[in-house]
Amino acid sequence: MKITRTLGAFALSALLAGSALANTVAITEFLNNGEGEDSGREWLEIFNYGQSSVNLNNWTLTDEGSDSFTFPNVTIPSGGYLVLVTGGSSSDLTESQAKAVFEQEYLGGVADSRVLGMSPFALGNSGDELILSDAGSNVVWSLAYGNDETQAVATFLTGDDFGTTMFG
């Protein structure tokens, strides 16, 4: 997907907690400043690196501000992923519109059930936090990033120990 680079350019803090199944899910890639209009062009990937499927029903993705998304009844198989596409902080796009923009720009217009729109939700261009919590409100994965003044560049996880790491 377009150009990528490592998380070393960002301030990153990753926390693992919760159930054994929850510990197999991580936010592994995100794009917080797409080219042009952000709505439908900001996204994040959640990857299941465990041996079992993980159902995300009633899990939440939040930041330390007012953004919050509650997952529908969706399951990530072992070795599978889910892409969440933002609709904008003030509901610029509906969830289905955000999904359609992403599928058109990144997947050549092909619909994919692994892509979900989330609205209202926005990834801050100058920095933000992403906090993934299970249905019991246990933090499963969290990260924070700062502004590196790049646009249309995805960031991806390169470490494989999934421990707590601080960069910067």
Side-chain angles (χ1 to χ4, degrees):
M1 294 188 160
K2 298 203 179 189
I3 302 169
T4 58
R5 68 177 140 51
T6 65
L7 286 176
F10 289 94
L12 171 70
S13 163
L15 300 173
L16 291 174
S19 71
L21 282 181
N23 283 335
T24 68
V25 177
I27 298 170
T28 52
E29 189 172 3
F30 64 93
L31 178 67
N32 64 301
N33 191 7
E35 285 187 47
E37 174 62 35
D38 285 347
S39 297
R41 292 171 183 86
E42 295 181 342
W43 53 267
L44 62 99
E45 176 188 85
I46 299 175
F47 181 75
N48 177 5
Y49 59 91
Q51 298 297 314
S52 302
S53 296
V54 176
N55 186 294
L56 302 180
N57 190 38
N58 289 320
W59 283 37
T60 58
L61 180 70
T62 59
D63 63 9
E64 291 180 352
S66 61
D67 288 328
S68 181
F69 173 75
T70 301
F71 287 82
N73 189 12
V74 61
T75 299
I76 304 176
S78 174
Y81 64 90
L82 183 67
V83 175
L84 297 173
V85 184
T86 69
S89 59
S90 60
S91 297
D92 298 331
L93 297 178
T94 65
E95 292 176 357
S96 60
Q97 289 170 327
K99 174 180 168 57
V101 168
F102 178 89
E103 289 170 337
Q104 183 62 43
E105 292 195 13
Y106 290 98
L107 305 177
V110 177
D112 191 323
S113 62
R114 296 170 295 187
V115 177
L116 289 180
M118 56 179 180
S119 184
F121 202 99
L123 303 179
N125 291 346
S126 61
D128 209 345
E129 313 79 31
L130 294 171
I131 305 163
L132 179 64
S133 300
D134 66 18
S137 299
N138 300 300
V139 174
V140 173
W141 188 264
S142 67
L143 63 88
Y145 60 90
N147 183 12
D148 70 350
E149 299 179 6
T150 59
Q151 185 178 31
V153 178
T155 301
F156 63 98
L157 181 68
T158 59
D160 60 1
D161 66 354
F162 297 102
T164 300
T165 306
M166 293 293 293
F167 294 97

